[in-house]
Amino acid sequence: MYFRLSVKSIITRLLTILSVSALFGFLIGQTLLVLCISTLVILCWHYHHLFKLIKWLWRSKSLSPPQSEGIWGKIYDGLYRQIRQHRHKQKQLNERIRKFRDGAEALPDAALVLSDELTILWGNKKAQRILGIRWPSDVGQRIDNLIRFPEFSKYLELGNFEQPCHIISPINSELQLELRLMAYGSDQVLFLARDVSKIKRLEEMRRDFVANVSHELKTPLTVVRGYVEMILTTEHALEPHWQKAFSTIETQVSRMDRLVEQLLVLSRVENHADEENKQLVDMPKLIKTLVDDATWLNQDKQHKITADLSEDLWIEGIDTELKSACVNLISNAIAYTPAHGSVHILWQRSGNKAKFSVKDNGPGIRPEHVNRITERFFRVDKSRSRDTGGSGLGLSIVKHVLHHHNAELAIESQWGEGSEFIIYFEVLDKS
Ligand code: ADP
């Protein structure tokens, strides 16, 4: 349907009516009167349609406008066309919204759309099942009024949404949830909550399994090691081939023993993220003891071990874990740095952080390996690591300890020139 507004035809039509009226008036000798009457009739006709239009716009429930001829017919047709276009667009929009909602309902996660002020705009059915948030009755409520967990409030406060937040479901204490927030559009936030209870349970089972197996292996290994040591130190000299065989057994059993010990430490660190065990730790004293032990144990390689420790820099943490992290970095530096190399240990304030650094002039680490060396069982050079008795677990232990202490690990290394392992801790002054 297309209408072209022609001013010429409208004026022609009006002039025709007025001319016919004037002619008729002239014939009966009342030109002016007839002209006035016909103008009045035209005006009334227009007013009549104007009122019809107002009545339809404000009172009628019908979608189709009134019918008419002439210019008013065109106006009504135009309006009807606009309404149909509008309805078509609305239908398309509704279809899109329906598809988005179907998609969001099909998600295995609870999904909520929040405003930038974190008030609820929309939620799927899963959100009701695992979070107890109902749509549309909870619309307009702030998310932190409905999910009241200190860890979630802290997560929102920090505003770092790259990492997920873990909470227990507010309506079912057996469900462990992983929450993620993502800003989208100009002023909206997508909130996703995933049930990770199964994954957590499997992780727990894996940790328990490793811890139990390591624990069970410890006793037989100690027994074998004890007997081998007894045989090797017996008064009667062994034949050379037996001597060699028992020495190899002793080396391998010692390696297994260290591996089992590291596995036990790792599962202990993984299992006990106990905030209550945190206390003020005299780090200078702890590091000094480790440096002394390292110097004493390092007679063979004759490294130059130096330390620069800030005496009054204490931090809050779990002392056994902190010790474990520092020991691993120091013993790695000693293990991988060739004889007569140097190892420098530093404990100093750096800005608003406390910096623990172990720097050596050993072989360094290639850039492509730097990101992987904290992975469990990752060893750059397996044969060299075997020589040093490495298990590939030391830096995983460090990583877990740092996670418990909100600390960060930085690795600076030049291949062929040496490495520096730095830990940045949050500072708490001795008071
Ligand atoms: P490992 O018990 O094998 O030392 P780690 O997890 O402590 O296991 O270290 C992983 C790997 O990182 C090591 O196998 C080694 O290749 C590399 N590495 C760690 N510290 C150093 C260092 N100071 N210099 C060179 N390489 C290192």
Side-chain angles (χ1 to χ4, degrees):
M1 199 167 26
Y2 182 69
F3 170 63
R4 232 180 70 198
L5 181 73
S6 160
V7 180
K8 206 169 138 195
S9 77
I10 293 172
I11 292 176
T12 315
R13 200 184 267 201
L14 189 67
L15 286 178
T16 314
I17 294 171
L18 290 178
S19 319
V20 171
S21 308
L23 188 67
F24 177 69
F26 178 72
L27 288 177
I28 61 168
Q30 292 288 346
T31 317
L32 205 63
L33 184 70
V34 175
L35 262 178
C36 284
I37 291 171
S38 52
T39 312
L40 207 68
V41 169
I42 293 171
L43 207 64
C44 286
W45 185 75
H46 280 300
Y47 264 104
H48 166 71
H49 281 291
L50 210 57
F51 284 124
K52 243 167 97 172
L53 179 64
I54 291 171
K55 200 171 147 202
W56 173 72
L57 283 175
W58 289 95
R59 296 209 199 122
S60 171
K61 285 193 178 115
S62 154
L63 278 178
S64 39
Q67 298 289 317
S68 180
E69 292 296 318
I71 185 137
W72 281 100
K74 300 289 181 205
I75 290 173
Y76 293 144
D77 288 349
L79 279 172
Y80 186 58
R81 189 164 159 257
Q82 290 267 337
I83 290 167
R84 274 195 19 203
Q85 275 179 355
H86 181 70
R87 290 199 68 191
H88 182 65
K89 274 191 192 144
Q90 204 174 23
K91 233 169 132 182
Q92 279 182 334
L93 212 64
N94 285 345
E95 186 62 19
R96 271 189 214 156
I97 292 174
R98 197 182 57 77
K99 276 189 184 153
F100 163 76
R101 283 189 185 161
D102 286 351
E105 289 297 354
L107 278 176
D109 304 339
L112 295 170
V113 176
L114 310 177
S115 73
D116 54 356
E117 269 157 11
L118 301 182
T119 55
I120 294 164
L121 300 175
W122 181 81
N124 66 0
K125 290 200 184 82
K126 192 88 195 257
Q128 183 173 337
R129 256 178 278 141
I130 66 174
L131 292 165
I133 293 176
R134 291 159 201 274
W135 182 81
S137 49
D138 287 331
V139 166
Q141 297 250 40
R142 264 187 72 99
I143 186 78
D144 44 351
N145 283 344
L146 300 176
I147 301 178
R148 292 178 156 272
F149 286 98
E151 52 269 53
F152 183 57
S153 309
K154 202 168 162 203
Y155 180 66
L156 291 182
E157 210 179 291
L158 288 175
N160 176 13
F161 301 137
E162 272 166 31
Q163 296 298 323
C165 166
H166 290 96
I167 60 162
I168 306 284
S169 160
I171 54 165
N172 182 351
S173 58
E174 285 186 3
L175 293 187
Q176 303 203 48
L177 305 179
E178 182 186 272
L179 311 181
R180 280 181 185 275
L181 270 96
M182 285 147 269
Y184 81 98
S186 56
D187 54 359
Q188 282 178 336
V189 177
L190 183 65
F191 172 103
L192 293 177
R194 174 170 294 183
D195 177 5
V196 288
S197 322
K198 246 189 216 161
I199 299 170
K200 289 266 172 194
R201 258 196 303 276
L202 281 172
E203 237 172 62
E204 237 164 71
M205 275 165 65
R206 178 194 53 80
R207 278 204 299 263
D208 288 350
F209 174 75
V210 173
N212 290 339
V213 169
S214 314
H215 194 74
E216 292 302 321
L217 280 173
K218 194 90 189 119
T219 318
L221 278 173
T222 313
V223 173
V224 174
R225 199 171 160 192
Y227 277 118
V228 172
E229 275 173 5
M230 202 177 82
I231 294 167
L232 283 172
T233 52
T234 180
E235 286 168 11
H236 311 289
L238 290 169
E239 283 184 34
H241 67 277
W242 282 118
Q243 176 78 31
K244 192 171 172 241
F246 280 113
S247 297
T248 312
I249 294 174
E250 196 208 13
T251 318
Q252 295 305 324
V253 170
S254 302
R255 266 197 68 211
M256 266 178 93
D257 200 33
R258 263 198 304 279
L259 181 62
V260 166
E261 191 55 52
Q262 291 274 64
L263 275 172
L264 277 171
V265 174
L266 184 60
S267 39
R268 239 193 331 267
V269 173
E270 274 187 323
N271 283 330
H272 304 289
D274 220 345
E275 287 286 316
E276 286 158 23
N277 286 343
K278 283 194 177 168
Q279 56 185 36
L280 265 180
V281 181
D282 183 351
M283 284 295 279
K285 191 172 159 201
L286 186 146
I287 299 168
K288 174 109 191 15
T289 319
L290 299 181
V291 174
D292 291 346
D293 290 352
T295 314
W296 195 80
L297 290 170
N298 191 40
Q299 316 277 341
D300 306 350
K301 282 179 140 182
Q302 297 283 315
H303 286 132
K304 186 171 167 246
I305 301 177
T306 49
D308 178 3
L309 311 178
S310 174
E311 289 303 326
D312 54 359
L313 189 54
W314 293 35
I315 58 168
E316 196 178 63
I318 307 164
D319 56 354
T320 48
E321 290 195 1
L322 292 171
K323 188 173 171 187
S324 200
C326 298
V327 163
N328 273 302
L329 294 189
I330 296 173
S331 52
N332 272 354
I334 288 170
Y336 295 104
T337 305
H340 305 290
S342 67
V343 175
H344 183 65
I345 294 146
L346 178 123
W347 175 246
Q348 291 287 349
R349 186 185 276 272
S350 167
N352 59 351
K353 302 263 177 186
K355 176 179 174 182
F356 172 74
S357 134
V358 182
K359 191 174 181 178
D360 63 56
N361 65 351
I365 303 156
R366 285 183 198 275
E368 65 267 29
H369 292 141
V370 169
N371 289 337
R372 296 202 56 200
I373 58 171
T374 55
E375 284 173 22
R376 209 172 285 216
F377 294 112
F378 183 84
R379 285 171 295 173
V380 173
D381 179 343
K382 295 209 167 43
S383 58
R384 192 178 60 182
S385 204
R386 203 174 295 128
D387 295 342
T388 60
S391 60
L393 291 174
L395 292 176
S396 306
I397 296 173
V398 174
K399 198 171 79 175
H400 278 284
V401 170
L402 301 198
H403 182 65
H404 294 173
H405 290 81
N406 282 333
E408 283 163 32
L409 177 71
I411 304 168
E412 283 167 19
S413 187
Q414 284 286 326
W415 173 238
E417 287 180 24
S419 324
E420 184 176 10
F421 286 75
I422 311 164
I423 306 178
Y424 291 102
F425 290 100
E426 284 177 355
V427 186
L428 202 94
D429 287 313
K430 189 170 82 168
S431 49

